[in-house]
Amino acid sequence: MNSAPNPYIPILVIGALGFGFAVISLVLAAITGPKRYNRAKAQAYECGIEPSPQAVEGGRFPVKYFLTAMLFIIFDIEIVFLYPWAVTFDKLGVFGLVEMGIFISTVFVAYAYVWRRGGLEWD
């Protein structure tokens, strides 16, 4: 009887080592870390700027913040689609080339639209 080792055992061992390292690091930091707390350390730190009080409802973020976030998501999704295409480029042939050309042109049209509307200008 030929019993091969389970291929998932190395993954479980690495996961257990990573989890153990994280737990040990947190416990050691709590034990050995400084315990001198004061009012200045308890306050929020925002890049050296005094934190401003926010409204009860949480305040509003500028719309450009969300537009920039959506642009990053769009280009991340583009990379997710481009990588498998690049790996199997030889097998896809002309169909793959045309399909990726259409995809890239669609993303480029969206990019040009955002650029034209001023969505990439930082104020």
Side-chain angles (χ1 to χ4, degrees):
M1 193 177 218
N2 187 7
S3 63
N6 192 343
Y8 293 107
I9 289 177
I11 295 172
L12 292 175
V13 169
I14 289 174
L17 285 173
F19 182 75
F21 178 75
V23 169
I24 290 172
S25 297
L26 289 173
V27 169
L28 285 176
I31 292 171
T32 61
K35 306 279 190 280
R36 295 181 301 270
Y37 297 106
N38 58 29
R39 189 183 313 181
K41 287 185 179 181
Q43 288 183 344
Y45 179 74
E46 298 179 3
C47 301
I49 301 171
E50 290 292 324
S52 60
Q54 291 197 359
V56 177
E57 60 273 356
R60 295 182 57 138
F61 285 101
V63 175
K64 283 198 171 215
Y65 171 79
F66 295 108
L67 290 175
T68 305
M70 285 191 285
L71 283 174
F72 280 116
I73 290 171
I74 287 171
F75 291 119
D76 286 345
I77 291 172
E78 181 182 10
I79 294 301
V80 166
F81 283 119
L82 279 174
Y83 183 74
W85 173 77
V87 170
T88 60
F89 177 72
D90 291 339
K91 297 177 187 173
L92 294 175
V94 175
F95 171 76
L97 183 64
V98 170
E99 178 261 336
M100 194 50 62
I102 292 171
F103 176 72
I104 290 175
S105 64
T106 305
V107 172
F108 181 73
V109 167
Y111 174 73
Y113 173 76
V114 170
W115 188 5
R116 186 98 162 125
R117 296 282 306 225
L120 301 176
E121 294 176 9
W122 295 91
D123 295 331

